[in-house]
Amino acid sequence: MSVNILFAAKESDWSEYEAALATALGKAGIDFNLSNSQSADFSAAETDYMVWSPNSVVQDFTPYTRCKAVLSLWAGVERVINNPTLTQPLCRMVDRGLEEGMVDWVTGHTLRHHLGMDAQILGQNGVWAPQTPPLARHRQVTVLGLGPLGSACARMLRQVGFDVAGWSRRLKDIEGITCFSGADGLRDALKRSEILVLLLPNTAQTENIINAETLALMPDASFIINPGRGPLIDDDALLKALDTGKIAHATLDVFRVEPLPGTHPYWTHPNVTVTPHMAAETRIDSSAEVIAENVRRGEQGEAFLYLADRKTGY
Ligand code: GLV
């Protein structure tokens, strides 16, 4: 019997995902019936798996009584994990395409700040005044969050040559990276973060982890790069730290409200770079393979990959 898979993600993504999912499901040997939520030829109660993203029309999971798993196309699941109607297992997306994109973006923005590129790009004023940056190995970079994305970025930054530390809820062991955990570990990690990269999930525990108190621990004139989630930062505290020069520059890809409202002070602050939540996107072909593998696992009674945990919130 065919497995009914409902694509209930962003409507405009359907045309591209349809072919990629069909290919990946076929390769995984699954006999499937794949439909878009707008034109499904099976009912909610007949849905076996749901491919989902926060911009889905489906926000009430109650009718999906037979659904074995909700498979998120997004890495961050904070917009669904506490949905009281979601009783089905939820899997977050861990996609090598998304991971590679994140590594590219984080490495690029870290190098921008490390090398002081803005001074050259924006300062074409006829004045010949070389300023040699320190070597990467003399620059302390800290990554908060050592999940798949944070650890991939930490590894690449280490490969580039930076002196890299990372902090996570549970202590990790990553070759070449100084790993911290716990409250004391967070303080130690921040004290050495000349460039701080935020890749933590958005949970009750991580909300406002960057606040007046934690910002004060960072070295003077340090940099913040946030491709994680907006609520990790207390925005008022960051704006104050930017005004005093405690933080030299913040490169922010994610915000509490997205799109970032046109009147938000981040847009006009001279020491803030706003990018439109584009640091890393789920890539269609590689994520389709992850979805297909999870459907295969579900059908064969194997444990799902990347199962979200309601207790930790990610
Ligand atoms: C994007 O922000 C994602 O969570 O995948």
Side-chain angles (χ1 to χ4, degrees):
M1 215 178 76
S2 282
V3 176
N4 289 334
I5 303 172
L6 186 71
F7 184 85
K10 195 168 156 200
E11 181 61 24
S12 55
D13 286 347
W14 166 241
S15 57
E16 284 183 283
Y17 268 101
E18 185 179 12
L21 283 168
T23 304
L25 290 160
K27 266 200 214 153
I30 295 153
D31 177 12
F32 63 91
N33 179 18
L34 177 64
S35 266
N36 180 13
S37 52
Q38 301 300 302
S39 55
D41 51 15
F42 48 83
S43 70
E46 289 165 340
T47 301
D48 294 307
Y49 297 89
M50 187 189 301
V51 178
W52 190 89
S53 68
N55 23 42
S56 172
V57 289
V58 176
Q59 298 295 330
D60 177 2
F61 296 88
T62 318
Y64 299 89
T65 45
R66 167 170 127 185
C67 180
K68 294 178 203 163
V70 173
L71 306 168
S72 170
L73 285 181
W74 283 37
V77 289
E78 75 282 355
R79 282 164 66 181
V80 64
I81 196 160
N82 294 319
N83 183 324
T85 66
L86 180 77
T87 52
Q88 303 81 348
L90 169 71
C91 299
R92 63 199 154 79
M93 177 51 66
V94 175
D95 161 38
R96 63 173 196 278
L98 187 148
E99 190 173 299
E100 282 171 40
M102 184 63 88
V103 168
D104 290 350
W105 190 91
V106 166
T107 307
H109 285 278
T110 303
L111 282 167
R112 168 193 171 192
H113 295 311
H114 165 64
L115 295 173
M117 286 182 181
D118 290 19
Q120 281 80 52
I121 294 167
L122 306 172
Q124 299 284 303
N125 55 4
V127 179
W128 188 268
Q131 282 205 334
T132 309
L135 293 174
R137 68 186 149 92
H138 294 142
R139 179 78 74 183
Q140 295 189 311
V141 181
T142 297
V143 181
L144 297 194
L146 292 173
L149 296 174
S151 54
C153 291
R155 282 197 182 93
M156 177 56 83
L157 294 169
R158 177 73 193 86
Q159 229 171 303
V160 171
F162 290 108
D163 177 356
V164 182
W167 181 86
S168 50
R169 190 174 59 84
R170 275 173 302 150
L171 188 62
K172 298 274 167 79
D173 181 10
I174 306 175
E175 198 186 335
I177 313 291
T178 309
C179 291
F180 296 99
S181 69
D184 288 347
L186 180 62
R187 277 191 287 278
D188 292 338
L190 289 171
K191 277 186 198 154
R192 49 94 68 214
S193 55
E194 293 174 276
I195 300 177
L196 180 67
V197 179
L198 304 179
L199 275 167
L200 287 162
N202 178 11
T203 68
Q205 283 70 40
T206 62
E207 181 158 7
N208 289 329
I209 194 163
I210 300 304
N211 54 46
E213 200 184 314
T214 49
L215 285 163
L217 296 169
M218 292 176 63
D220 289 342
S222 49
F223 299 92
I224 292 184
I225 298 175
N226 186 14
R229 282 293 186 257
L232 300 175
I233 297 179
D234 173 340
D235 295 319
D236 290 339
L238 176 58
L239 283 163
K240 278 198 192 105
L242 285 159
D243 288 341
T244 63
K246 175 75 186 171
I247 301 300
H249 197 104
T251 295
L252 309 174
D253 183 59
V254 285
F255 305 90
R256 276 167 203 274
V257 177
E258 294 181 4
L260 183 66
T263 52
H264 197 285
Y266 282 150
W267 280 115
T268 48
H269 199 289
N271 297 329
V272 175
T273 300
V274 170
T275 61
H277 200 146
M278 43 71 70
E281 266 216 16
T282 299
R283 303 294 160 132
I284 294 169
D285 289 339
S286 45
S287 68
E289 285 170 16
V290 177
I291 299 287
E293 171 59 11
N294 258 339
V295 173
R296 187 199 67 73
R297 283 171 171 253
E299 289 312 287
Q300 302 198 343
E302 295 175 25
F304 289 119
L305 294 173
Y306 320 127
L307 197 60
D309 178 349
R310 267 122 173 137
K311 273 198 230 88
T312 57
Y314 62 93

